[in-house]
Amino acid sequence: MYSVPFFRRKNSKNLDIDSLHDAKVNELRAALGPLSGRSLQYCTDACLRRYLEARNWNVEKAKKMLEETLQWRSTYKPEQICWHEVADVGKNGLISRADFHDRFGRIVLIMRPGMQKTTAGEGNLRHLVYLVENAILSLPEGQEQMTWLIDFTGWSLNTNVPIKVARDIIYVLQNHYPERLALIALYDPPRIFQAFWKVVSYFVDAKSFHKVQFLYPMRKESEEIMKSYFDAENLPTEFGGKKSLKYDHEEFSRLMAQEDEKTAKFWGFDYKPSNHVSKLHLREEVVPEPLVE
């Protein structure tokens, strides 16, 4: 007989928190001042909430963080990176978007650092930024986060990115894409990777750090975490699932070319496919049979 008052108190408390957060969003928007163009388009209420959450709902700190992101976006222009500009970095399947979602409807990015063939830092960063931007625009309505699956097959210190590059990537993800990651699953990493992680984790903030999970096959706790996030029927065998993981660069390039058109439409700029993309499309066309006289 006490259940009704209990739920009323709980709902009332949640409403109070929501009202407080809404007020913080409005306060942050007022503090930012007038915005225009893509900055205005970027700063949705959901966006402001993510920056506030990343800074524990401190308006001044969130404002500083968001203004730094807007400055970065105005110079780096992540939304204008096209697949043909970064495709070569990922031609071996270094990072790709999975053809399945996790149990919460999140986009899944699969990373295979063992496929790393270059230590060109800027190329690695642009390639990752491109795929993160694409994943964000592809998220289902109401979902704001993505999940990363990292397969260490073939990984060694020789294939690893330099610490400086890793630090730059961490900085961009933490400061310009706050609250976008739900889980980073490091699946069966070799012991030597832990030494590398000890160094780079120094640059990882507390919230991001707790989203990184070291998971191993044949360990009950790891298996439970994977089951809670993924359906084994969709999950590649490299992560303890039942599906075969095969990366087809031409097929993925065709998909990304289509995504680039959607991105350009969303942000309002002209998209011009490269010759490489055009050739990929031509391969799909059916060649007519010669006429029989």
Side-chain angles (χ1 to χ4, degrees), residues 201-264:
S201 63
Y202 176 80
F203 307 105
V204 180
D205 64 32
K207 283 193 174 184
S208 300
F209 185 86
H210 290 298
K211 294 176 181 179
V212 178
Q213 297 282 346
F214 281 72
L215 304 174
Y216 299 90
M218 309 302 292
R219 292 191 185 180
K220 185 176 180 180
E221 185 178 354
S222 296
E223 290 179 352
E224 290 300 318
I225 291 174
M226 292 299 286
K227 285 180 182 178
S228 69
Y229 277 89
F230 304 101
D231 182 344
E233 297 296 329
N234 295 329
L235 198 63
T237 55
E238 286 82 355
F239 301 100
K242 301 179 181 180
K243 190 176 181 181
S244 175
L245 175 60
K246 182 181 178 183
Y247 177 74
D248 186 321
H249 188 61
E250 290 193 0
E251 181 180 344
F252 192 68
S253 293
R254 283 191 286 269
L255 172 63
M256 291 299 101
Q258 295 170 6
E259 293 293 297
D260 284 352
E261 293 184 46
K262 296 177 185 177
T263 299

Side-chain angles (χ1 to χ4, degrees), residues 131-229:
L131 287 167
V132 169
E133 288 278 322
N134 173 262
I136 289 170
L137 289 186
S138 301
L139 287 170
E141 186 176 353
Q143 182 55 262
E144 298 189 350
Q145 293 185 316
M146 66 192 78
T147 301
W148 289 9
L149 284 172
I150 303 181
D151 167 30
F152 282 87
T153 302
W155 183 90
S156 70
L157 288 177
N158 292 330
T159 61
N160 197 38
V161 297
I163 289 177
K164 181 184 182 302
V165 176
R167 183 187 62 192
D168 291 345
I169 289 173
I170 290 169
Y171 178 85
V172 167
L173 291 174
Q174 288 183 165
N175 290 278
H176 303 317
Y177 297 97
E179 301 302 318
R180 283 301 193 181
L181 292 176
L183 170 72
I184 303 175
L186 305 176
Y187 198 81
D188 201 17
R191 182 170 297 180
I192 194 172
F193 175 79
Q194 295 185 18
F196 174 78
W197 173 246
K198 284 183 179 179
V199 176
V200 300
S201 63
Y202 176 80
F203 307 105
V204 180
D205 64 32
K207 283 193 174 184
S208 300
F209 185 86
H210 290 298
K211 294 176 181 179
V212 178
Q213 297 282 346
F214 281 72
L215 304 174
Y216 299 90
M218 309 302 292
R219 292 191 185 180
K220 185 176 180 180
E221 185 178 354
S222 296
E223 290 179 352
E224 290 300 318
I225 291 174
M226 292 299 286
K227 285 180 182 178
S228 69
Y229 277 89

